Structures are given as structure tokens and as C-alpha cells.
Amino acid sequence: MSDFTMTIDSEQVASNEWIPVEDPSTGTVFARAPQCTPEQLDAAMASAARAQITWAADEPARQEALRRCAATLNANNEAIAQVLTAEQGKPITESRRETAAAAAWFDYYANLDRRSEIVQDDARAHISVDRRPLGVVAAITPWNFPVMLSSWKVAPALRAGNTVVLKPSPFTPLTALLIGKLLADELPAGALNVVTGGNQLGNLVTTHPIPRKISFTGSTPTGIKVATAAAATLKRVTLELGGNDAAIVLDDVDPGAIAEKLFWSAFINNGQACVAIKRLYVPQSSYGKFVDALAAVAEAQQSGAGIEPDTTLGPINNRPQFERVAGLVEDARTRGARIATGGIALDRPGHFYRPTILADVPDSAPIAAEEQFGPALPVLPYTTVDDAVARANDTRFGLAGSVWGGDQDQARAVADRLEAGIVWVNTHAAPSLRAPFSGVKDSGLGVENGPWGLDGFTELHTTHVARR
Ligand code: NAD
């Protein structure tokens, strides 16, 4: 059993209490993370506050430090990937890719030009607008992509001149702890603190007087709690929340040719992705062919521990999520849905659930109407494109969506009608570090990635020099 440590003021810190961390492929505890005490959280916040002024003062030094962080993440790719697969469950090749992506985010923000503007320069006045850091930022992350999603917050927050206290999910705290330790050698004391604990620690973070901003990724109900807690002290918030992404396939697409791509757009990270396809609308005329083709791809998958070389789909990350997915499939069955494939757990330890394709699901069934966040996809027939668009938009979520078609212009025209922060054409779940990632409706508030993501960790600062 390994014990991991928190990074507070560049020191490695343990605790008297620990949270157990389970390997989802066995269901057994293999490591422990410290349970951060309120005093330790105070120390982390105070350290971040002390470090911030010096950190904000030297932009070239920050850029250089971020480049070193990227290099350190790349140099330790294998070590981080091994811990990621152990705590999250995903196949090791995906863990390596996720770690490389995190390094790419540090490099991108190291090199991005910051924006400042002169809005008036005439005989009357010179008015310039630049962006200042907020101070201390608290970052709270979920368990599905713990390495990459931390970098989406930490890299731009640091580049903008803030210091950070990062609190990962109690299901996957270890990679953040390891990264905190590795980056402590590249950053000044206090620039990045990593603290771990249960959901209650999240509440202590959001109500703490020091942070000026909470950057949160997680479920919509928790996001509402975060926003409510932050409002009491007017902390800024960015909320990247849940989604129920619809994909619409147009009638000029061959089911056999596209099934594999559609499958992976839904089952990326075993369906545990905020921007996975969660509802698939296909033409009524080829409904049976789509269901069969997707079921065939599902049946060709190898479910197993992420560390096993042949594994293409890992376990569900944790027992509550396993119960939720299994419960939604069971509920759909009782409402008349047909399980084309899957619908059962694997007969082995760990949280394994066969990739599941469901047909004949009523739109009102929770597996279609809510976020399943797991390896089960409802395939829904439509008669007209108007019908598909209306049903795709009939949700309180608005994270992402996609349209798939042979005629790109036609697909693009349908994509323009979807109510979502990101709409892809002929792909899905393909976030770019250069493009804004932002949910509409109940899927979020604020933006990550690209220059907009950097702006989110700043406040506008206007200087008006009167000339007469
Ligand atoms: P969650 O909301 O349960 O937890 C997310 C984080 O919030 C964890 O670190 C948790 O400890 C913390 N937390 C819990 N209660 C808190 C409180 N009261 N105050 C402060 N922090 C608290 O989410 P999860 O189950 O870890 O992740 C799955 C969810 O995340 C899904 O809904 C998924 O769609 C969403 N997600 C969204 C994005 C996005 O970018 N939009 C990306 C990944 C995941």
C-alpha cells in the first residue's frame, strides 16, 4: 500500500487521517491519500497568497516555469500514466495520451500571447485595458480525466499570474498529488498547492476567505452548490458541468462505415466523459442497421484492467457510478427498451459493465433524458431532421453535440441549430486547446481553453489618462 503526500508551500505533507483509494479493476484499496485538515487547508491558502505577488510580477519567469512543468510532465509520462490507470481504470495507452495532453496544455499557455488593448488614443484621452490576475484560485476536479482537467485549470491560472490550490476528486486523488510533488521542483513555494480529502473539503475550499476564484469541473448539482457557496464572498466561478450530448446522423451516411467512429465517440473513457455522445439519433429508415452495427462494435471490445495490453475498455471508476449506470439500464428495460448488447456486469472483481447498446428507449426514460456517464448508449430513431433537432435540444443540458453527414454543408446547417457550447461535424469529444470549451444552459458558466480560458483567470483593468 503506498501513501501519497500533499504539496503545501512546496513541502510534502501527510496527515493523521487518510482516504483509501481503490483500483476499480479489482475493487481493492491499493493506496491512501491524506485527508487534509482545516488547518492544513489554511496553510495551503496562506502559502498561495504569500507566493502570489512575486509570482504575478515576473511574466517571463512564469512562462519559463510553465515550460519546465510541461517538460517534467513529459519526462514523467509513464510514472503518471501508471498511477492514472491504477486509480481511474482507463487503458494505459489512454493514460499516456492524457498525460501528454496535460503537458501540451502547459506548453500552450506558456507560449500564448496575453491580450491588452488600447480603446482610445486621441487628443482627449489614452485609455488602455489590460488583464490582471485575480489572486489565489481554487481548482476542483472530477474523477474522469483527473490529469488533463487539472492542467486545463492550473496552466492558465498560473500563466495569468494567480497561484493555485488544487483539490482533486476523492476517487482519483493520486495523480494530482504526484503532479504536485513533481512540479514543486519547477515552481516557487506556494505557486501550486495540492490538497486531498472528501467532498467536505470541497466545501471548505469554496467557503474559504482567501481564494478569489473557484474553477470547478464536475456535476451540475455540485456546481450549483459551488456557485452558491462562492456567492457569499463574491468569488468568481467557472463551472464546467454535466452534459447529455446528442448526436444526429443524417440519412446520407452508411451505418456500417460510421459505426466504429460513433461507438468511440460514445464510449470514450468507457462513456465517462462530459462530452461523450449520450443520445444517438439515427434515421428511422436505417434504424435496425445502426443498432446492429453499433452492437457488433461493442461486442468486439475487450473489457479488462487498464494495465492489461489487450484491454480496449476499462472498468467504471467507482461503485456508486457502476450502480447508477446499471440502474439506468435496468430502468430502461422495465420501460420497454431492448438491450441489443450488454446490460450485464462482467463476472470478475472490479466495476466492470459490458458496453451496452439500447434500442426502443422512450425519450422520457432517464437513460435518454439524463446524463448516464457510463458505458450505455440509447439509439433513438427519428423521422425528420426537424424532429431530431427538437428532441436533441429538449434538455436542460447544453455542453456539446454533433451532426454526422456525407454532405458537409448540410451537416453544418443542422449543427447550427443545436443548443450547445460546442458542436462537432463528423466527430465528437474532440476538444482543442485553442478553442473555447463552455457549456450553455445547465452545463456551465464561463469558458476554459484558448485565450478565453486565460481571460477567465483575470480581471479587466482599465487605465484612463486624460489629455485635456
Ligand atoms: P462531482 O460533482 O461529484 O464532484 C466533482 C468535484 O467536486 C470532486 O472533486 C468533489 O470532491 C467535489 N465536491 C463535491 N461536493 C462538493 C461541494 N459541496 N463543494 C465543493 N466541491 C465539492 O462530479 P464527479 O462525479 O467527480 O464527475 C462527474 C461529473 O463531472 C459529470 O456530471 C460530468 O459530466 C462532469 N464533468 C464535466 C466536465 C466539463 O468540462 N464540463 C468534464 C468532466 C466531467
Side-chain angles (χ1 to χ4, degrees), residues 139-145 149 152-153 167-172 197-206 214 216-223 225-226 229 239-243 272-275 278 318 321 371 373 397 399 437-439 443-444 448:
I140 300 178
T141 51
W143 49 258
N144 57 342
F145 290 94
L149 295 178
W152 288 19
K153 302 179 183 312
K167 190 213 85 68
S169 164
F171 291 114
T172 55
N199 294 346
Q200 180 53 26
L201 179 63
N203 187 46
L204 290 180
V205 166
T206 53
I214 311 292
F216 171 83
T217 300
S219 65
T220 298
T222 310
K225 286 186 200 163
V226 168
L239 305 173
E240 294 288 1
L241 307 178
Q272 303 162 116
C274 53
V275 290
K278 304 209 170 104
N318 56 73
Q321 189 59 20
E371 179 185 40
F373 212 67
F397 291 114
L399 194 54
F437 192 94
S438 58
S443 286
E448 289 193 309

Side-chain angles (χ1 to χ4, degrees), residues 67-337:
R67 285 185 200 108
R68 288 197 306 272
C69 290
T72 298
L73 293 175
N74 280 329
N76 291 279
N77 182 294
E78 188 59 28
I80 297 167
Q82 292 284 337
V83 176
L84 178 54
T85 286
E87 70 174 355
Q88 207 288 328
K90 65 186 69 191
I92 187 71
T93 47
E94 290 179 28
S95 292
R96 291 180 187 128
R97 261 204 302 276
E98 181 174 338
T99 306
W105 250 263
F106 273 86
D107 252 336
Y108 171 75
Y109 278 111
N111 298 322
L112 189 67
D113 284 335
R114 295 183 70 198
R115 301 200 273 203
S116 64
E117 273 179 76
I118 296 167
V119 293
Q120 188 174 341
D121 185 13
D122 57 22
R124 295 173 67 85
H126 182 277
I127 306 178
S128 59
V129 181
D130 61 30
R131 292 189 166 268
R132 301 260 166 111
L134 293 151
V136 175
V137 166
I140 300 178
T141 51
W143 49 258
N144 57 342
F145 290 94
V147 173
M148 189 177 74
L149 295 178
S150 301
S151 76
W152 288 19
K153 302 179 183 312
V154 174
L158 287 177
R159 170 61 203 280
N162 306 281
T163 52
V164 178
V165 175
L166 168 65
K167 190 213 85 68
S169 164
F171 291 114
T172 55
L174 304 180
T175 38
L177 292 172
L178 175 57
I179 288 170
K181 184 176 178 188
L182 291 168
L183 299 191
D185 292 339
E186 314 303 343
L187 296 166
L192 173 61
N193 303 273
V194 183
V195 296
T196 48
N199 294 346
Q200 180 53 26
L201 179 63
N203 187 46
L204 290 180
V205 166
T206 53
T207 52
H208 199 281
I210 287 183
R212 292 307 312 141
K213 163 150 188 160
I214 311 292
S215 178
F216 171 83
T217 300
S219 65
T220 298
T222 310
I224 291 168
K225 286 186 200 163
V226 168
T228 307
T233 48
L234 286 182
K235 294 183 198 335
R236 279 64 178 144
V237 288
T238 294
L239 305 173
E240 294 288 1
L241 307 178
N244 190 14
D245 291 8
I248 300 175
V249 184
L250 301 180
D251 63 5
D252 59 351
V253 171
D254 170 17
I258 205 179
E260 182 103 18
K261 270 192 187 170
L262 288 173
F263 178 86
W264 283 113
S265 300
F267 289 81
I268 173 179
N269 204 35
N270 214 12
Q272 303 162 116
C274 53
V275 290
I277 295 177
K278 304 209 170 104
R279 299 172 284 154
L280 178 62
Y281 293 93
V282 301
Q284 176 76 64
S285 53
S286 44
Y287 186 55
K289 286 189 185 141
F290 271 105
V291 171
D292 291 349
L294 285 158
V297 180
E299 282 162 15
Q301 300 312 314
Q302 178 71 38
S303 293
I307 205 66
E308 291 163 10
D310 296 338
T311 294
T312 59
L313 288 174
I316 293 176
N317 174 258
N318 56 73
R319 205 66 199 169
Q321 189 59 20
F322 175 96
E323 303 288 357
R324 172 165 169 77
V325 175
L328 287 171
V329 172
E330 233 11 80
D331 169 83
R333 210 194 297 259
T334 63
R335 292 169 193 259

